[in-house]
Amino acid sequence: MVLMKSYISSDDQVYIVSICRDLGIGDGGFYQPGYDGGRKLNLQMMCLGKNWDPDTNMYTDLRRSDNTKPPGIPQEFHDLVNKAIRDANDFIRVTSASSDEGRGLPSMSPDICIVNFYSEIGSLGLHQDKSESEESLRKGVPVVSFSIGDSAEFSYGETRAVGKADKVILESGNVLIFGGESRLVYHAVTGIDPDTALKSLREATGMRPGRLNLTFRKY
């Protein structure tokens, strides 16, 4: 697991917000996902590449609620993900002991991106990202997470025990990557810290209060 702070440039953050806004108002754009029983998740979601269904915990080509096809992943997003993985591996090589020379994150060309927008009262409970293919999970192909907007309290741990989870603050421009042995780490967004986004980002994008989170993965 690697956290790269202030990694996404201000210009790229503005670009990402702009692209997500344009995609989010079209077919397959943002909606509030939920379960057949009626309970809703405390966020807005848009899927790129494939649709993730929270009720079945599976990926599909179409969204069940409205039969729309998810937009594709822009090439610029692919480029940012690939660069982040390369830079994370450079960091791992520099900081690892000589006996760990073979360690590192597998390369990835993402075919799925889940875009979540958390309002100031948004949250997401402890869970594992394990809807991807057995091969992807076995190889430890990483999840690459971009944070933009207000800061979030992020919890993570080896079990679903909330009291045993570690916590870190994810700020705008941070990239968090977890793969390899950490691929199935339990994680959660336990809170949003209001009014912590850069003023320049708000002014350049008109982004409303909250946190935009993009998680890239390989099915």
Side-chain angles (χ1 to χ4, degrees):
M1 178 180 282
V2 178
L3 172 60
M4 298 188 289
K5 292 195 169 188
S6 303
Y7 183 81
I8 306 173
S9 70
S10 297
D11 287 345
D12 282 341
Q13 290 183 56
V14 170
Y15 175 76
I16 291 169
V17 171
S18 175
I19 292 297
C20 288
R21 175 184 289 118
D22 290 345
L23 294 175
I25 61 177
D27 291 341
F30 283 110
Y31 78 114
Q32 187 175 15
Y35 302 94
D36 286 344
R39 186 168 67 88
K40 297 288 188 180
L41 274 68
N42 197 19
L43 51 80
Q44 296 286 321
M45 184 172 76
M46 169 177 65
C47 296
L48 308 179
K50 286 181 176 292
N51 181 71
W52 180 72
D53 188 324
D55 206 55
T56 63
N57 204 29
M58 297 174 61
Y59 290 108
T60 58
D61 292 329
L62 300 176
R63 192 159 70 191
R64 279 198 305 156
S65 60
D66 55 11
N67 211 37
T68 55
K69 183 178 180 179
I73 302 175
Q75 181 58 47
E76 294 84 354
F77 288 6
H78 279 276
D79 296 340
L80 287 169
V81 169
N82 291 331
K83 182 178 183 299
I85 293 175
R86 289 196 304 269
D87 289 342
N89 275 328
D90 287 344
F91 173 78
I92 291 171
R93 281 190 288 270
V94 169
T95 57
S96 293
S98 58
S99 60
D100 293 334
E101 287 180 357
R103 296 183 66 182
L105 295 162
S107 61
M108 175 184 68
S109 178
D111 53 12
I112 298 163
C113 176
I114 297 180
V115 185
N116 288 332
F117 182 80
Y118 299 84
S119 71
E120 292 173 302
I121 59 171
S123 63
L124 185 62
L126 274 173
H127 66 283
Q128 293 173 300
D129 289 346
K130 57 180 182 179
S131 299
E132 292 70 42
S133 67
E134 290 184 10
E135 180 182 12
S136 183
L137 297 176
R138 176 174 51 82
K139 290 181 176 179
V141 178
V143 172
V144 179
S145 171
F146 294 175
S147 293
I148 300 176
D150 286 334
S151 300
E153 184 180 77
F154 182 84
S155 299
Y156 63 97
E158 295 182 0
T159 71
R160 205 164 188 168
V162 176
K164 296 182 179 180
D166 293 311
K167 295 181 180 180
V168 65
I169 299 298
L170 297 181
E171 300 173 326
S172 193
N174 286 181
V175 172
L176 177 69
I177 304 178
F178 51 96
E181 296 176 359
S182 296
R183 176 58 179 81
L184 292 177
V185 66
Y186 285 90
H187 56 284
V189 176
T190 49
I192 304 298
D193 192 2
D195 301 320
T196 49
L198 292 174
K199 183 179 179 181
S200 58
L201 177 67
R202 294 256 195 254
E203 292 176 344
T205 63
M207 182 178 174
R208 65 178 182 172
R211 172 183 183 248
L212 186 68
N213 177 225
L214 293 77
T215 56
F216 299 88
R217 55 289 290 286
K218 176 74 172 178
Y219 182 75

